[in-house]
Amino acid sequence: AAGPGALRLFRLFRGARCAVLLAAGGGGRAAAEQCASSASVALAALGERAADSGDHALNGLVRALYAPLQNLVKLLRGAGGGGGALDAEAAVRAVAALDELYFQLYYFHRAERGGDGPRVPPPADFYAEQESLLLARGGGGRAALRGWLGELGEGRRTELAQTWGLNLERLQEDGPELGGGGPGASGGVWEPAPGNALLVYFRARLTEGALLFHGAGLGRAGEMDALPREPRRVRGKGTVFSRAWPLLEKWRDSCRVWACTLYAFAVPNPDALDTLAALGPVVEVGAGTGYWARLLQQRGVDVVALDRDPPAPKPQGGRRNEWHGHAPPWTRVQPGGPADLAAHSGRTLLLVYPP
C-alpha cells in the first residue's frame, strides 16, 4: 500500500538533492524548494493512507519523515535572500536533511518491509548516481577534488589515492558530458571496487564533501581547527561537547551514522581485504550485519560470522540489534560471542571496530 507514495517521495528527494548539489556554486534553490514542497504534500497523503489502513509501520515512517522535511522546506524558503542561490552553509544543511529523508525511506523499505514492494535504490547506487553528475563536465566535483588534493603534500596525496582507489591521472580530465553516463559513471576517477558498496558510497561522499566545503570555501577561516569549549544541549543526548566545528559535525554524522547502521563501522578497501584473505579461515566476533565477512567470502575465504544479536528485518522476526537496528544482514550471522571461540580454535580471530 505504501509503494506508489513512497516511490514518489524518493523521486522528489532525489530531485531536490540533485538541485542543491548542482547549484552549489549558485542557483537551484527554487527547484529544490519546489521538490521539497511537493514532497510535503505527498507525505501528507501518505499519512492519511497510513491512518486509514491502520498500518503502524507506515505511520512510523511518516512521523520519521515529517520533522526533517518541514525543516528542509523552511531552510530552502529562508535561504538565498530572495534570489536563486543557496549560501554555502545552507547547501550543506539541505543536503544533510535530504540524506536523513532518503535513509529513513530506504531503511523502511529494507528493514520494516523486508525489501517487499517498489524498490528504493540502495545507498551505493543512489549516491554513485548523484556523484556521476558532479564528476561530469561542468559538475564541479573534479575541480573541487583537484583543489583539495592540490593543497596536500605529494606523499599524503599519493597515500590517499592508494587507500581510496583514486586515479589521479583520470581526475585531471574534464569528464564525460552531463547525462552521458549512468549511475556510477565516474569517468574512471575511481578504481573498480566490485561488491564493496560501502567504499563506493564513501567515495561519493568524499566528492560531495570536497565540493560543498573546499569548493565553497567553507571552514577556511580556522573554524575546522577551533572546537567549541562550551557544552550544548542535544535532544535525546543531554549535554554534549562538540567533536568538531558544528557544521562539519553535522556533515560527518550525515555521511556516517546511517552507513554504520546498514553496513559496518569501518570501511574495507582491497588491500585490507587481501591481507585478511591470506589469514583465513576466519571467525569474526561482533560481526554486526556481516558486511566484512561477506566481502571476505567473495574472495573465497571460509568465514564464520558471530554476533550477540544478529540483525534481521522485522518481517523475519529478528531481534533489534543495538547498533544496526533491523538492517538486513549481508551474509549469515550466527548468534555467538567470545564464549563460543573455543569451537573455532583453528581460525584467525577478526574484530572490526569493536564497541
Side-chain angles (χ1 to χ4, degrees):
L7 273 185
R8 173 164 170 74
L9 283 172
F10 164 71
R11 292 172 182 140
L12 290 167
F13 296 158
R14 179 178 60 185
R17 202 172 187 278
C18 286
V20 173
L21 286 173
L22 291 177
R29 180 186 62 82
E33 182 186 340
Q34 183 177 6
C35 286
S37 297
S38 297
S40 291
V41 175
L43 183 62
L46 194 63
E48 293 178 1
R49 186 181 308 169
D52 292 342
S53 64
D55 189 330
H56 297 296
L58 182 58
N59 191 50
L61 172 67
V62 171
R63 292 198 306 271
L65 295 178
Y66 180 80
L69 181 54
Q70 294 309 306
N71 290 337
L72 174 66
V73 171
K74 291 178 183 177
L75 173 66
L76 293 172
R77 287 176 178 171
L86 273 174
D87 66 68
E89 288 200 21
V92 172
R93 297 183 186 281
V95 171
L98 286 158
D99 289 336
E100 178 65 18
L101 292 167
Y102 160 75
F103 276 113
Q104 287 283 359
L105 200 58
Y106 178 75
Y107 183 80
F108 171 81
H109 166 69
R110 294 291 287 134
E112 298 286 347
R113 292 291 197 246
D116 290 338
R119 182 173 179 268
V120 177
D125 292 350
F126 175 65
Y127 284 90
E129 177 193 45
Q130 301 257 306
E131 185 196 29
S132 71
L133 303 177
L134 303 182
L135 294 177
R137 190 169 303 172
R142 288 172 184 260
L145 282 170
R146 289 195 296 260
W148 169 58
L149 291 168
E151 295 186 3
L152 305 178
E154 183 177 353
R156 179 61 173 153
R157 184 164 56 248
T158 301
E159 179 185 8
L160 279 171
Q162 181 178 354
T163 300
W164 286 81
L166 176 63
N167 189 319
L168 293 174
E169 291 184 4
R170 298 298 297 271
L171 183 62
Q172 304 305 315
E173 300 174 0
D174 290 337
E177 292 289 342
L178 184 64
S186 65
V189 166
W190 301 111
E191 301 294 342
N196 197 343
L198 186 58
L199 180 59
V200 171
Y201 164 79
F202 271 112
R203 285 170 169 178
R205 304 315 302 265
L206 182 65
T207 300
E208 293 178 356
L211 177 70
L212 292 171
F213 282 88
H214 189 279
L218 277 178
R220 311 285 284 178
E223 300 95 333
M224 297 287 193
D225 303 316
L227 286 176
R229 295 180 179 276
E230 298 299 323
R232 57 194 175 91
R233 298 286 299 177
V234 176
R235 182 180 298 176
K237 296 182 180 180
T239 301
V240 299
F241 286 88
S242 294
R243 296 163 291 182
W245 178 36
L247 189 66
L248 181 62
E249 186 176 15
K250 175 178 282 294
W251 176 253
R252 181 261 191 194
D253 289 346
S254 175
C255 295
R256 180 169 170 75
V257 171
W258 275 105
C260 291
T261 299
L262 296 167
Y263 295 95
F265 279 76
V267 186
N269 70 356
D271 288 345
L273 293 169
D274 290 343
T275 299
L276 290 171
L279 301 174
V282 170
V283 57
E284 182 181 7
V285 174
T289 66
Y291 183 75
W292 279 67
R294 175 58 178 165
L295 291 179
L296 289 173
Q297 289 168 348
Q298 289 176 344
R299 281 167 164 72
V301 182
D302 180 3
V303 183
V304 172
L306 303 176
D307 196 275
R308 182 180 64 185
D309 292 312
K314 276 190 176 180
Q316 297 178 13
R319 294 178 56 184
R320 185 183 186 280
N321 182 280
E322 181 181 2
W323 307 103
H324 302 285
H326 286 285
W330 290 86
T331 190
R332 183 181 178 223
V333 181
Q334 304 176 41
D340 302 288
L341 287 176
H344 305 285
S345 59
R347 297 175 178 270
T348 298
L349 174 61
L350 173 61
L351 301 173
V352 179
Y353 211 102

